[in-house]
Amino acid sequence: MKKKNLLSNMLLILLSVLSITTCAQNNIELSGQLRGLSGATVKIGYNKDGIFKTDSLKASNDKFIWRAESFDPQIISITIGHSGYSFFAQPGRISFTGVKDSMQTYQISGSQMQKDAVAFSDYTKSITELENSLRSGYKQATAEEKVVLDKKLSELEQQKEGLTKQFIVAHAKSYYSIYLITRRTGGGTDYKEVKALYSLLDESAKQTAAGKKLASKLEVLKKSMLGTQMTDFVQPDTSGKPIHINSFRGKYVLVDFWASWCGPCRAENPNILKVYNAYKDKGFTVVGISLDDKVTNWKKAIRDDKMPWTQLSDLKGWKNAISTSFGIQAIPSNLLIDPSGKIVARDLRGALLENKLKQLLN
C-alpha cells in the first residue's frame, strides 16, 4: 500500500512539474536595458485573446522587465515618450538593449521570430524595393501607364510568392513562417493556396499554439472556398424577423458584409445599388450582413444609402456570428452565391461585380 501511495505521489508531482513547464513555455519575459531610460515610463502594446492591450512600466536604473502569460507569437510595440519601436516576439526570454534616444542602437536577442523576420526582409528586399519604386509613380501615371505598372506589379507579386514558399520550406519550424501564412487567412484569400503553404510547415510548428490557431483559421476559411455549399444561417432583419439565407435559393445572392462606420463600405454601396437595380429582375438580389452594434446607426445608414435589399444583423459588431463563421476579418467583403447555394465568387467590388453578373445573367 505504501509503495502504491509513493508511486501515486510521485506521479502527481511529475504531472505538476510538466504542467508548470508547459505553461512556462507559453510565457514571455522581456528584459530591457537602455542607457538614459531611468525614470521613464515604458508602454508595451500587444494582443491578448484578440484584444489589444497596453501595459505601463516605470524604468529603474535604466532597466525594466515585462512579463506576460500564455503569450502568442506576434508583433509587440514599445513606446517611450513620443517614440515607438516594434518587433516580433515569441514566448521565452528576450532582451532589448541600446540607448534610449538612439533607435538605431536598439538590439533584440532571444526572439528567433524577429531574427527570421529580418532574414525574410533581406531575402525579398530587391523585389520590395522594385515594388515601392513602381508604386511611387502610380498616382501620376496615365491610364495606359497604369496598365503596364499593374502588370509589372503582378509579376513581382508572383516572384515574391515563390520566394515566400522557398523561405517557409527553409524555415519550416519558425513562428515567423506561421505568421506569414496566418496573415493570408483574411478576406479574398483562396483556401487551397493557404492550405498548400500550411502543408510546408514542420509538424512541430503545427503542434504549437500558434500552429493550432492557424489550423482553426484554415477550417473557417474552408467554409468560404469557391464551390462550397453555403451553410444555412439565420439572423434578424431590421424589423427583428429571423431570415434564413436558404430562403433566397433560386437566385444569385450577394452576401455583403459591411457596417455604417466603414467608409470604404459606404463608398461601395452606390455600386451595389447600381447592379442591384440592373439585375434584380433577372434572378439577382443582395443580403447585407452588418457588423454594427448600434441599431440606430445601422438603420440610418440603410436609409441614407438607399439600400432596398434585405439587411440582417445580430448587432454584435465584429463578433457577428455569420461574419465570424466565415472568417471575415476586414470589410467591405462579400460572397456571391449561385441559385443552388454554392459560393461562386468572393470580394467582387465595382466593375468586377458588374462584369461577373453580366457573365452570369446576360
Side-chain angles (χ1 to χ4, degrees), residues 124-150:
T124 57
K125 184 178 180 180
S126 59
I127 291 179
T128 301
E129 289 177 344
L130 278 172
E131 287 177 327
N132 292 339
S133 176
L134 291 174
R135 290 193 178 105
S136 66
Y138 197 86
K139 285 185 179 180
Q140 291 75 33
T142 64
E144 293 78 9
E145 289 171 338
K146 285 180 179 179
V147 172
V148 176
L149 287 173
D150 284 335

Side-chain angles (χ1 to χ4, degrees), residues 32-52:
Q33 183 170 3
L34 299 178
R35 194 175 351 132
L37 187 63
S38 288
T41 298
V42 180
K43 294 182 179 180
I44 312 291
Y46 63 105
N47 189 289
K48 178 68 174 177
D49 299 327
I51 300 172
F52 185 79

